Amino acid sequence: MGKTMMDGKMVGGKISLSTELRETSLEMPPRQDAEKVDARDADTPDNWIKRHGAMVRLTGRHPFNTEPPLKVLQDAGWIT
């Protein structure tokens, strides 16, 4: 069987993946863009960057090093 190579492009809300077994694609979760600058960034060099308030801050306020809440990743199917 020849290799099926997918280039990872988004088509119809799904991303195509490379596999030797079968054509595979994963549905992407809806976008969740940030709408405002987080008040915790008011007196940092990042006081102009909009950030999603649910992000878990790993290193305090600045520099911004975060990860999404585990439940959000699970609900999205681990697509990040």
Side-chain angles (χ1 to χ4, degrees):
M1 177 189 312
K3 283 188 177 182
T4 301
M5 296 302 293
M6 307 275 184
D7 58 10
K9 285 187 180 176
M10 293 287 297
V11 177
K14 295 184 178 184
I15 187 168
S16 56
L17 304 173
S18 295
T19 177
E20 291 185 26
L21 300 175
R22 61 188 159 101
E23 191 172 312
T24 303
S25 64
L26 296 173
E27 192 166 335
M28 298 300 291
R31 289 184 60 112
Q32 298 180 28
D33 295 331
E35 297 178 4
K36 62 182 182 172
V37 174
D38 192 314
R40 294 173 285 187
D41 294 325
D43 60 346
T44 73
D46 293 343
N47 62 3
W48 60 277
I49 301 172
K50 296 177 182 178
R51 296 202 166 109
H52 197 287
M55 295 297 287
V56 177
R57 292 176 182 242
L58 303 175
T59 56
R61 295 185 316 150
H62 185 77
F64 190 66
N65 185 4
T66 68
E67 62 187 22
L70 184 58
K71 181 72 174 140
V72 173
L73 287 176
Q74 291 170 332
D75 291 345
W78 301 95
I79 302 299
T80 62

